[in-house]
């Protein structure tokens, strides 16, 4: 598969609309070795997270940054915070590892009042308010992250509505033989 001009990648895992919402491709070179590129057509694989923003929505709210002097689109600060909180919960088993909590803390600390409001709105409409609330709580405990009281209140209120994603708040893994 040619992804970028002259860059050939080989597909490295099973994919399909109902199996995964991403494809992993690998390219090898003699200097660095293997490069892995994950191409996602949805933000996260679990179908319980179907309410998350689409790529089109993220792109519409994106900001510009420079990567090696090349302008690139990056998720807005509010979207990046929600993505980090969901990533910690859904892809790392709700991990309390400092690496994931530090990401959340660093992203949250630079939010303006309007960006906090956007993050709460995105969490609410994406039905991930409880996951965002938990990520912020853990980051507050680990790094003293100051979460504005209105944000804390609004996320707590939004999380009262049953969210399918709340399954990722479990402390024990889900298995097919689990009575829960």
């Amino acid at each position: 598969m040619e992804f970028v001009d002259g860059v050939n990648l080989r597909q490295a895992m099973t994919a399909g609309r109902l199996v995964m919402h991403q494809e992993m491709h690998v390219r090898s070179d003699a200097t660095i070795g293997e490069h892995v590129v994950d191409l996602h057509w949805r933000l996260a694989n679990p179908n319980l997270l179907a309410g998350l923003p689409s790529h089109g929505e993220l792109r519409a709210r994106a900001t510009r940054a420079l990567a090696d002097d090349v302008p690139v689109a990056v998720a807005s600060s509010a979207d990046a915070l929600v993505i980090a909180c969901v990533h910690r919960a859904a892809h790392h088993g709700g991990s309390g590892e400092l690496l994931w909590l530090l990401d959340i803390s660093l992203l949250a600390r630079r939010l303006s009042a309007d960006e906090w409001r956007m993050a709460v709105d995105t969490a609410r409409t994406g039905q991930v308010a409880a996951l965002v609330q938990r990520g912020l709580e853990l980051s507050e405990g680990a790094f003293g992250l100051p979460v504005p009281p209105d944000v804390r209140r609004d996320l707590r209120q939004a999380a009262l509505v049953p969210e399918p994603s709340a399954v990722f708040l479990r402390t024990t893994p889900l298995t097919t033989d689990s009575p829960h």
Side-chain angles (χ1 to χ4, degrees):
M1 167 186 188
E2 190 169 300
F3 174 60
V4 179
D5 295 334
V7 176
N8 291 306
L9 302 170
R10 65 178 164 78
Q11 190 169 348
M13 61 191 266
T14 302
R17 287 217 169 286
L18 299 177
V19 177
M20 297 281 274
H21 302 290
Q22 74 183 63
E23 291 178 350
M24 182 180 8
H25 296 268
V26 179
R27 176 179 170 250
S28 296
D29 76 31
T31 305
I32 297 176
E34 287 195 341
H35 303 274
V36 177
V37 177
D38 279 338
L39 301 176
H40 291 254
W41 51 93
R42 282 201 13 211
L43 198 53
N45 279 319
N47 287 321
L48 294 173
L49 300 171
L52 289 171
S54 69
H55 285 75
E57 292 168 307
L58 293 172
R59 195 171 23 257
R61 298 190 297 250
T63 59
R64 294 278 176 203
L66 290 177
D68 291 330
D69 295 324
V70 177
V72 294
V74 297
S76 71
S77 296
D79 285 335
L81 175 64
V82 173
I83 291 166
C85 290
V86 169
H87 183 257
R88 182 203 66 81
H91 295 290
H92 298 284
S95 171
E97 287 183 54
L98 294 180
L99 171 67
W100 311 121
L101 300 179
L102 181 60
D103 280 349
I104 293 167
S105 182
L106 292 172
L107 289 164
R109 286 175 190 277
R110 59 185 231 197
L111 295 185
S112 68
D114 287 343
E115 290 168 327
W116 274 112
R117 180 80 2 245
M118 290 171 53
V120 170
D121 290 345
T122 298
R124 184 183 299 114
T125 59
Q127 298 183 326
V128 294
L131 298 184
V132 172
Q133 177 186 15
R134 183 68 178 139
L136 292 172
E137 287 171 351
L138 291 171
S139 293
E140 182 179 35
F143 298 106
L145 171 67
V147 178
D150 60 322
V151 169
R152 188 186 315 276
R153 179 197 66 229
D154 293 349
L155 285 171
R156 190 173 335 131
Q157 185 70 28
L160 292 175
V161 176
E163 299 174 322
S165 65
V167 70
F168 294 109
L169 295 173
R170 290 175 166 245
T171 55
T172 56
L174 292 176
T175 62
T176 54
D177 56 325
S178 172
H180 304 289

